[in-house]
Amino acid sequence: RFLYLSHFTNKEMENRENDDDKKVVAEITARCFIPTLITTTSWEGFHFVGHDILITEAMDCYGAVVWPSALVLCYFLETNVKQYNMVDKNVIEIGAGTGLVSIVASLLGAHVTATDLPELLGNLQYNISRNTKMKCKHLPQVKELSWGIALDKNFPRSSNNFDYILAADVVYAHPFLEELLLTFDHLCKETTIILWVMKFRLERENKFVDRFKELFDLEEISNFPSLNIKLYKAMKKNRRSA
Ligand SMILES: C[S@@+](CC[C@H](N)C(=O)[O-])C[C@H]1O[C@@H](n2cnc3c(N)ncnc32)[C@H](O)[C@@H]1O
């Protein structure tokens, strides 16, 4: 869907992009199913990597629901296993929220560390345990990572060895954008690949992309105009080897 042949006019390319967008977004949203039972806890179901994944949500904070960006990243990981093979890879997710992306990466064979703010970790651990126990090659870890805080202590650079950093919808109107950038930089070594899904909302936070480009080589892999979402691949700038 990302190859544009030179004999297409701009209008034709735009029409093809819109058709692709609608088709892929419909495929992505079809992975979510709503429970038929009425229960006291609120949860949603998702279908990825041949598994039904049940996610418990809470309505009281940002990280406690599954955001569309997470679905986009899960779908990307599932449908690009050849190019982005997760088997035995060392993966960290920042701002993991309810844990769907970390669960999918674990089901795909990665060694995953799912991280978020301390208040999110109980629900995150619950969802991760419930959906990965006896189903994954490597048991995922859940760990606190508040952006920019105690990074040297909790994630010393010398022991960071991540093949992938995953991030879905971590840029929005919060006051920690510089700390977020610092965190990406801290966790990323020369060979680390960042897969980051960005939901475009307000101008101020959208500028984060330009700040990000100062430290990382950024490649747009996928664009979903109907969702205002882009999927980026990034690697550290000026690296000696890739
Ligand atoms: C919009 S939610 C996205 C959650 C999940 N990635 C998804 O797409 O469904 C943003 C996530 O970033 C986390 N977050 C916000 N500020 C943070 C901070 N300062 N340090 C660490 N995580 C933070 C929130 O707790 C939340 O889980």
Side-chain angles (χ1 to χ4, degrees), residues 45-57:
F46 301 89
H47 192 80
F48 285 105
V49 205
H51 292 270
D52 284 340
I53 300 169
L54 303 185
I55 295 289
T56 303
E57 302 183 328

Side-chain angles (χ1 to χ4, degrees), residues 63-83:
V65 297
V66 176
W67 294 81
S69 300
L71 290 185
V72 167
L73 188 46
C74 290
Y75 184 82
F76 177 81
L77 293 175
E78 186 199 89
T79 53
N80 288 276
V81 283
K82 272 207 181 120
Q83 211 178 339

